[in-house]
Amino acid sequence: MLRPTPAVEVRSDSAGQEVLNQVPPLVDYNLFVSDRTLSESIRREGAEWAIEQLTELGRLMGTEQVQRWGIDANENTPLLETHDRYGLRRDEVIFHPSWHHLMRTSVENRLHSLPWVEKKRGAHVVRAALLMLTAQNEAGHTCPISMTFSSVAALRAEPGLAREWEPRILSPCYDSTFRPAQEKSGVLVGMAMTEKQGGSDVRANITRAEKIGDSNEYLLTGHKWFCSAPMCDAFLVLAQATKGLSCFLLPRWTPSGEKNRFYIQRLKNKLGNRSNASSEVEFAGAWARLLGEEGRGVSTIIEMVNHTRLDCAVAGAALMRQALVQALHHARHRRAFGKLLIEQPLMRNVLADLAVESEAATLLMVRLAVSFDRRATDPKERAFCRIATAIAKYWLSKRAPMHVGEALECLGGNGYVEESGLPRLYREAPLYSIWEGSGNVICLDILRALDREPEVAEALIEELRSANGLDARLDAYVAAVESDICSKLKDSLKGDSGKKESQARRLGERLALALEAVLMVRHASEACAEAFLESRLAGQHGAAFGTLPATADLDQILAASGEPV
Ligand SMILES: Cc1cc2nc3c(=O)[nH]c(=O)nc-3n(C[C@H](O)[C@H](O)[C@H](O)COP(=O)(O)OP(=O)(O)OC[C@H]3O[C@@H](n4cnc5c(N)ncnc54)[C@H](O)[C@@H]3O)c2cc1C
């Protein structure tokens, strides 16, 4: 019979039998301190000023109580109350108290505002790191947090509106009451673009916007087929005005304090987290203010979308990190066939492969956040940010479901049981690929950026060359990717857009791998970088995780992935 290791607590079940070989729950560890890649990144990017806050949030996210909030907020799903008991419209969503605890913690930690209010170096990197810690515990509530944060980038197109709304949005107070924004101590902002007939092609929107007299006020009539977090206090909405598709700020209450004609039809029963509400809404002459110019709706809202794309990349890295932590924890305590799972050679390969992927993901999302920090003052970083946003969003949201799916299996049957938390990560993982531009749409955006903005290709190539001479495999891969970029540009010149488009995912993937490889060579341990290059670049890898070549130094890779502290 197998005997438990000393690390495994021996407990009894109700029949008085010993419970053997079950893993102790992973609680009371610090998600930030335990994550070497993330904490080193913060120091490297000169953001030591935030270490105290990150350490505290990392501790909090690992506590049993906050883990419980995440579970409860997902088990007690939001309820839509369309009408009150007298039959009057309410259009309110009721959440479990745990949801509000999570939201308050994130708002108080300024996950919705930090780079807009903090002028110190690396504010975007710090916020991305805070988000990465939070999303590992509960990702659902980070949707309204992310949209609120991102809305500021678009709101600034209209200084008058920004003056009025920014103080409310940036407030560190979480106020969940359903009242006019002007009476609240803090507000949330959502985004509604997708309609029944199309989400990727928003030009197909049919919601109408009619101008009220000579003002910049409009009445919106139509619907939105997906509107997440409908309890937000205002939404950035696309609708057709006289000059074409335009962007509007639509509050839940009008400035005169009446409820706006914004009706929540129903909540979606969806894949993904259960804690957040996603809905279908109708506007029956809803009052809204124009944001940006009439007819320039997409270019106005894209500033918001770019910031939510950054957050999709952060969330992808967060899910992979948490899946890895859980898999390692399980393997360090569970025994099979006379050994701890982490001592089984094939399991070591799986875990090391997951660790390499997670480290590359974290480095890529940090590099992206750095470019958000630098882009205001450095045109090269602005150009790099343009393309890196699409590349990282595409790749990290594609890798997360596969990564989490493999980590889940490391826990055996326990991984498939809700209490383990892995099913929640698994349901969440595919969301980031459909939000804010689905896989194909993002890859086509990569092509568009390379085609239309020569400075983007230059900035990308310069970044890829930044590790030139450090490894022959990397040099060869970067040279091949550069030639891919050039041949895609030639296809455009020849007008062969069909062929070029059909290859867009291939290009997106190769660009992502090249960027990750550069970052791994510069910042990861030698063993992790070597395994990444040999597997992902030199082709010594299979289609599933756990296929690192025999040359990979599994001991070193697993040692570098650290233990929860
Ligand atoms: C849980 C959830 C929450 C959401 N929340 C919101 C929200 O808050 N606000 C909001 O506005 N939207 C929201 N969405 C909607 C989401 O943004 C859209 O579903 C997404 O943009 C895709 O649009 P669609 O569903 O109409 O699919 P379609 O546009 O019909 O696309 C279907 C498929 O075709 C592909 N495709 C489209 N065009 C091309 C092309 N030219 N070439 C190749 N392939 C193409 C797409 O990649 C996709 O795989 C949410 C969606 C989900 C699932």
Side-chain angles (χ1 to χ4, degrees):
M1 194 175 79
L2 293 177
R3 302 302 308 168
T5 60
V8 179
E9 191 192 335
V10 179
R11 287 152 291 180
S12 301
D13 63 15
S14 51
Q17 255 178 358
E18 270 186 343
V19 175
L20 301 171
N21 201 23
Q22 285 283 15
V23 174
L26 180 54
V27 287
D28 294 331
Y29 74 107
N30 190 314
L31 277 72
F32 179 65
V33 176
S34 308
D35 188 340
R36 185 190 44 79
T37 309
L38 189 64
S39 44
E40 280 179 9
S41 297
I42 291 294
R43 291 187 174 87
R44 191 175 58 244
E45 300 309 332
E48 288 95 342
W49 54 269
I51 298 275
E52 201 179 317
Q53 186 189 354
L54 285 157
T55 306
E56 175 52 21
L57 193 71
R59 182 199 65 76
L60 196 65
M61 290 300 124
T63 60
E64 197 168 353
Q65 185 194 26
V66 174
Q67 290 183 10
R68 191 72 238 171
W69 291 348
I71 296 166
D72 287 347
N74 280 276
E75 284 183 356
N76 300 278
T77 54
L79 290 176
L80 171 62
E81 291 194 356
T82 51
H83 295 81
D84 70 9
R85 60 184 167 151
Y86 305 108
L88 299 172
R89 292 291 310 204
R90 264 170 71 87
D91 298 283
E92 271 193 76
V93 186
I94 312 298
F95 288 88
H96 188 264
S98 291
W99 166 272
H100 296 300
H101 294 323
L102 292 164
M103 288 294 295
R104 184 166 298 108
T105 305
S106 287
V107 170
E108 286 175 359
N109 273 280
R110 303 187 297 170
L111 267 76
H112 69 303
S113 65
L114 199 132
W116 309 126
V117 294
E118 182 59 79
K119 296 295 161 229
K120 290 187 190 137
R121 187 171 162 194
H124 271 288
V125 175
V126 170
R127 179 190 167 273
L130 292 167
L131 182 63
M132 175 149 173
L133 300 175
T134 305
Q136 287 183 65
N137 175 52
E138 207 290 309
H141 83 284
T142 66
C143 166
I145 293 288
S146 169
M147 292 195 290
T148 303
F149 156 69
S150 305
S151 68
V152 175
L155 257 183
R156 290 185 172 174
E158 200 63 54
L161 269 182
R163 260 196 308 279
E164 183 184 335
W165 280 84
E166 263 191 43
R168 298 168 187 158
I169 295 173
L170 302 180
S171 156
C173 300
Y174 172 60
D175 182 344
S176 64
T177 56
F178 186 41
R179 287 184 291 157
Q182 55 273 25
E183 295 172 16
K184 293 184 59 164
S185 56
V187 300
L188 300 171
V189 180
M191 161 165 58
M193 299 185 289
T194 307
E195 298 188 359
K196 294 188 182 87
Q197 69 281 359
S200 306
D201 186 4
V202 288
R203 290 167 309 174
N205 272 193
I206 53 174
T207 294
R208 292 188 329 273
E210 281 166 48
K211 199 171 173 138
I212 307 175
D214 244 2
S215 66
N216 62 357
E217 299 174 21
Y218 290 71
L219 294 179
L220 268 51
T221 305
H223 77 279
K224 294 292 163 183
W225 183 231
F226 279 95
C227 175
S228 286
M231 67 291 181
C232 286
D233 299 280
F235 297 84
L236 263 60
V237 174
L238 291 179
Q240 300 286 359
T242 312
K243 290 187 186 158
L245 195 64
S246 310
C247 183
F248 298 89
L249 181 80
L250 189 159
R252 290 297 308 275
W253 297 73
T254 66
S256 55
E258 283 159 23
K259 269 174 67 188
N260 209 349
R261 296 168 73 84
F262 168 107
Y263 302 119
I264 307 175
Q265 300 302 101
R266 61 173 172 166
L267 299 187
K268 298 277 197 194
N269 184 4
K270 62 181 200 297
L271 178 79
N273 61 75
R274 306 245 165 92
S275 59
N276 188 24
S278 292
S279 67
E280 296 159 18
V281 297
E282 282 188 5
F283 311 138
W287 182 91
R289 291 257 303 268
L290 180 68
L291 183 55
E293 285 174 45
E294 232 193 63
R296 309 245 329 131
V298 173
S299 47
T300 304
I301 210 165
I302 201 73
E303 271 304 304
M304 177 172 186
V305 171
N306 279 336
H307 285 74
T308 48
R309 284 179 180 170
L310 161 68
D311 286 358
C312 288
V314 177
L319 296 180
M320 287 190 252
R321 170 69 193 168
Q322 181 58 203
L324 172 70
V325 167
Q326 295 293 341
L328 284 169
H329 175 73
H330 189 87
R332 285 187 180 120
H333 292 89
R334 177 84 168 178
R335 298 175 79 88
F337 300 98
K339 284 183 187 167
L340 287 172
L341 287 175
I342 200 157
E343 293 163 355
Q344 296 287 2
L346 184 51
M347 182 57 101
R348 292 178 78 68
N349 194 327
V350 173
L351 293 168
D353 211 356
L354 293 174
V356 166
E357 190 72 25
S358 167
E359 176 152 18
T362 301
L363 290 175
L364 183 57
M365 84 78 183
V366 169
R367 178 64 187 92
L368 177 60
V370 168
S371 71
F372 271 82
D373 274 320
R374 294 182 186 159
R375 69 183 204 149
T377 51
D378 183 340
K380 244 187 240 160
E381 285 289 325
R382 188 169 183 81
F384 176 71
C385 182
R386 164 76 182 89
I387 190 101
T389 303
I391 295 171
K393 193 283 190 187
Y394 171 67
W395 189 236
L396 300 186
S397 49
K398 281 288 165 227
R399 294 303 274 172
M402 282 183 251
H403 187 280
V404 175
E406 195 62 63
L408 185 148
E409 195 175 313
C410 296
L411 274 72
N414 283 357
Y416 295 72
V417 173
E418 288 289 340
E419 288 157 320
S420 74
L422 268 294
R424 201 137 60 76
L425 294 181
Y426 191 59
R427 272 201 307 275
E428 183 74 12
L431 276 190
Y432 299 95
S433 193
I434 189 74
W435 276 343
E436 320 305 347
S438 50
N440 289 355
V441 169
I442 293 288
C443 288
L444 294 174
D445 187 50
I446 293 174
L447 288 186
R448 206 167 24 249
L450 291 172
D451 270 3
R452 294 191 190 160
E453 300 167 54
E455 68 279 11
V456 162
E458 272 167 37
L460 178 62
I461 289 173
E462 191 175 321
E463 179 82 10
L464 293 177
R465 287 183 184 168
S466 66
N468 255 9
L470 295 180
D471 184 276
R473 289 160 299 185
L474 179 57
D475 291 350
Y477 198 86
V478 166
V481 165
E482 277 186 35
S483 119
D484 274 3
I485 296 173
C486 296
S487 66
K488 295 288 168 295
L489 296 178
K490 272 190 224 129
D491 285 341
S492 316
L493 292 175
K494 281 192 275 168
D496 194 353
S497 65
K499 180 173 153 207
K500 188 184 59 161
E501 283 191 19
S502 78
Q503 297 302 300
R505 276 187 183 231
R506 229 179 118 74
L507 179 66
E509 179 166 333
R510 283 163 63 72
L511 292 175
L513 287 175
L515 272 180
E516 286 187 331
V518 167
L519 292 163
M520 290 293 273
V521 165
R522 287 169 54 188
H523 307 305
S525 70
E526 206 183 322
C528 290
E530 170 60 29
F532 189 93
L533 294 173
E534 196 59 12
S535 57
R536 275 74 169 165
L537 262 52
Q540 297 302 312
H541 201 231
F545 287 102
T547 51
L548 289 177
T551 51
D553 189 341
L554 305 181
D555 294 348
Q556 288 300 321
I557 296 170
L558 289 173
S561 62
E563 294 204 27
V565 286

